[in-house]
Amino acid sequence: MIEVLIVFIKIVCALAWFLLLTLYLTWLERKESAVIQDRIGANRASIFGIRIIGLFQPFADAIKMIFKEDFVPAFSRKFLHTIAPFISFFFVAITISAIPFGDSIRIGERTISLQILDFNVGLLFILAMLSLGIYGIILSGWSSNNRYTLVGGLRGAAQLISYEVALGFSLIGLIMVYPSLKLSSLVQYQGELIFGFLPKWGIFLQPLGFIVFLFAALAETKRAPFDLPEAESEIIGFFTEYGGLKWGLFMMTDFMEIIIISTLLTTLFFGGWQVPWMAADGFHWPWGEKSSSSAGFRF
Amino acid sequence: MDSIGHGEKSLLLLLASDFDTLDIPKIPLRPADGFWLEIADSVKPGEHCRNRHSDEYSRMIKALGYFIEIIRGILITSRHFFVNMFFHILKVVGIKTKRKGAVTIQYPEQKKEIASRHRSLHRLVPNQDGKPRCVACMLCATVCPSECIYIEAAEDPKLEMQKYPSKFIIDIGRCCFCGFCVEACPEDAIRMDTGNIELAGYTRDDLIYDLDKLLK
């Protein structure tokens, strides 16, 4: 019983954390583009007159989206049209389960690993779920019964499938170096050192794989340079016929995918939760001098 | 693009490989068909004239040019970002600078000064006795392109006036703020210099301005 409760708490915490990051990624994007374009960006949303550079904006957006009319066009396939955003969101949200957030912690007798499910095939699981997310796009494009959404959906499918290949192949070298697909042990391998000073990160072992993975992952997120399925300037995209919270789910999926891809990138190429030269007993400088973590950094 | 013809020839030869090469008639060629001997022919479908007669090197230089331009674009974008971010951070830290991180005017709190010739909400210029200077000559109502002025004239006992508007209604919802009424007025009775540009209303009736509102 207590195990179930622990897993449940882990799921809720991870999902809440990821949704919060997703919300604030929208805020960050708005602010960042505003700074690039000499603007200020969203800064009006306030609670009791307090507006901390628009930090409440994501919540205002969320409330607005929730209370908008749930519109289903008359010419659409109702069931698929309704279920498509949920499919899209589900397959991204479920990938959180395989991401290692940290090493295991001990509370009393119990050892709790900061990972919801430690698969033996964690990496394959994440890649598979990210590919299954295409179904949401295709279904939404097709079930909307609109030519533009269909074109958007097909473009999305074509793009995601083609970049999926590059994404998979870029990891093969890495998998050969670290003989495991288990993400937690993948991270543990990266805690070691090469030549005695360089952390055994994926980016140092497979720099080319990192570059390929980075670009394929950018394409996977369907964001700006690779936004073929959305393509605001040509076709309006696969979610043309959506509004309100369903559209919001697609948007959330997009941003959540960015975060998932970033966590995956960190896990695979930047040592995951490992801090370089930091062991359980303190901080070790690569030249052998030992300093305790509590005494601060000595130079 | 210029290798299409040669490709066809070799393909035909391949197909006819069981014949003696002398058996088949020669594929008719245009005169002077060969490398760099051909004079300019018509543009083929799908071909743009700027792409013709370009060799590998010129194409490479062109591609390099595009690449340089992409990098220059990214540099401009990042320059804007970093310069603006620098001034934003200075503001947060508390250092006052002449330049700001953004050019935004935060409207309801900050307002830009309206230019002196800006055409804002109309007003009727009053006489010494507070009545409108208007003589109900209907020139403004006639010239109005959106037909938003409605005037009802009444007789004035004063000899120099003779007529005065008993009703003067401007439907701001229809007005296009062209200012023709101001130009047409012989008495200088209507002006658009109130400086009021916040004319929004909750109903259409809110946007109908009558004599009382216009004389204010």
Side-chain angles (χ1 to χ4, degrees), chain A residues 44-159:
Chain A
R44 293 270 153 187
S46 65
I47 292 178
F48 304 121
I50 308 162
R51 39 162 121 145
I52 329 158
I53 51 171
L55 276 179
F56 298 123
Q57 186 68 41
F59 296 102
D61 287 342
I63 291 167
K64 184 200 111 185
M65 263 183 317
I66 287 165
F67 286 106
K68 272 181 102 165
E69 185 190 351
D70 183 23
F71 181 73
V72 180
F75 46 80
S76 70
R77 320 239 161 180
K78 299 265 178 334
F79 179 68
L80 290 176
H81 185 270
T82 311
I83 210 169
F86 295 100
I87 289 175
S88 202
F89 184 75
F90 172 77
F91 283 123
V92 173
I94 203 169
T95 51
I96 297 166
S97 59
I99 303 276
F101 290 99
D103 208 354
S104 51
I105 51 167
R106 289 187 67 83
I107 299 172
E109 293 287 289
R110 210 171 287 277
T111 314
I112 301 166
S113 74
L114 294 178
Q115 187 177 6
I116 295 168
L117 278 174
D118 201 359
F119 289 97
N120 277 329
V121 286
L123 185 58
L124 292 184
F125 174 75
I126 289 183
L127 290 183
M129 287 302 133
L130 284 179
S131 341
L132 279 176
I134 300 169
Y135 278 105
I137 295 174
I138 292 184
L139 278 183
S140 67
W142 180 70
S143 66
S144 296
N145 223 345
N146 175 336
R147 289 179 190 84
Y148 292 100
T149 61
L150 185 62
V151 169
L154 287 179
R155 281 166 68 153
Q159 180 188 329

Side-chain angles (χ1 to χ4, degrees), chain B residues 69-83:
Chain B
E69 288 304 314
I70 288 171
I71 288 175
R72 273 180 37 161
I74 291 170
L75 282 179
I76 289 170
T77 308
S78 40
R79 191 192 74 213
H80 272 263
F81 179 78
F82 286 113
V83 169

Side-chain angles (χ1 to χ4, degrees), chain A residues 152-163:
Chain A
L154 287 179
R155 281 166 68 153
Q159 180 188 329
L160 261 66
I161 287 170
S162 51
Y163 278 99

Side-chain angles (χ1 to χ4, degrees), chain A:
Chain A
M1 188 62 212
I2 193 96
E3 264 79 28
V4 175
L5 194 70
I6 287 170
V7 168
F8 186 73
I9 289 170
K10 278 199 283 193
I11 290 170
V12 169
C13 289
L15 205 58
W17 172 240
F18 267 74
L19 285 177
L20 195 74
L21 282 181
T22 309
L23 283 179
Y24 277 101
L25 203 59
T26 63
W27 175 82
L28 192 74
E29 201 208 13
R30 292 175 73 168
K31 277 291 193 189
E32 206 178 277
S33 58
V35 171
I36 287 171
Q37 296 160 10
D38 299 352
R39 295 183 287 117
I40 291 177
N43 66 343
R44 293 270 153 187
S46 65
I47 292 178
F48 304 121
I50 308 162
R51 39 162 121 145
I52 329 158
I53 51 171
L55 276 179
F56 298 123
Q57 186 68 41
F59 296 102
D61 287 342
I63 291 167
K64 184 200 111 185
M65 263 183 317
I66 287 165
F67 286 106
K68 272 181 102 165
E69 185 190 351
D70 183 23
F71 181 73
V72 180
F75 46 80
S76 70
R77 320 239 161 180
K78 299 265 178 334
F79 179 68
L80 290 176
H81 185 270
T82 311
I83 210 169
F86 295 100
I87 289 175
S88 202
F89 184 75
F90 172 77
F91 283 123
V92 173
I94 203 169
T95 51
I96 297 166
S97 59
I99 303 276
F101 290 99
D103 208 354
S104 51
I105 51 167
R106 289 187 67 83
I107 299 172
E109 293 287 289
R110 210 171 287 277
T111 314
I112 301 166
S113 74
L114 294 178
Q115 187 177 6
I116 295 168
L117 278 174
D118 201 359
F119 289 97
N120 277 329
V121 286
L123 185 58
L124 292 184
F125 174 75
I126 289 183
L127 290 183
M129 287 302 133
L130 284 179
S131 341
L132 279 176
I134 300 169
Y135 278 105
I137 295 174
I138 292 184
L139 278 183
S140 67
W142 180 70
S143 66
S144 296
N145 223 345
N146 175 336
R147 289 179 190 84
Y148 292 100
T149 61
L150 185 62
V151 169
L154 287 179
R155 281 166 68 153
Q159 180 188 329
L160 261 66
I161 287 170
S162 51
Y163 278 99
E164 205 75 51
V165 176
L167 199 76
F169 274 119
S170 69
L171 293 177
I172 284 177
L174 204 75
I175 293 162
M176 287 160 91
V177 175
Y178 311 125
S180 174
L181 290 171
K182 201 175 175 180
L183 284 172
S184 61
S185 59
L186 255 167
V187 173
Q188 257 147 24
Y189 280 123
Q190 296 184 55
E192 297 164 17
L193 298 176
I194 24 174
F195 309 129
F197 67 98
L198 207 59
K200 204 174 175 182
W201 283 358
I203 187 172
F204 297 125
L205 297 172
Q206 295 286 336
L208 191 67
F210 168 72
I211 293 168
V212 174
F213 183 85
L214 182 68
F215 285 108
L218 273 177
E220 191 77 14
T221 57
K222 312 190 284 283
R223 298 295 302 172
F226 298 103
D227 60 346
L228 284 186
E230 195 181 338
E232 295 162 322
S233 50
E234 310 144 32
I235 55 173
I236 307 105
F238 56 90
F239 45 60
T240 308
E241 300 290 349
Y242 284 90
L245 198 59
K246 285 182 197 157
W247 176 84
L249 274 181
F250 276 124
M251 224 47 214
M252 290 262 274
T253 310
D254 252 26
F255 282 102
M256 216 150 170
E257 227 161 34
I258 295 174
I259 293 168
I260 291 290
I261 289 288
S262 310
T263 50
L264 196 62
L265 201 77
T266 318
T267 309
L268 295 173
F269 291 99
F270 291 97
W273 41 263
Q274 300 265 11
V275 180
W277 310 304
M278 181 82 98
D281 57 335
F283 194 79
H284 298 270
W285 284 111
W287 45 88
E289 202 181 335
K290 188 176 172 292
S291 77
S292 82
S293 57
S294 57
F297 297 99
R298 273 195 294 140
F299 290 97

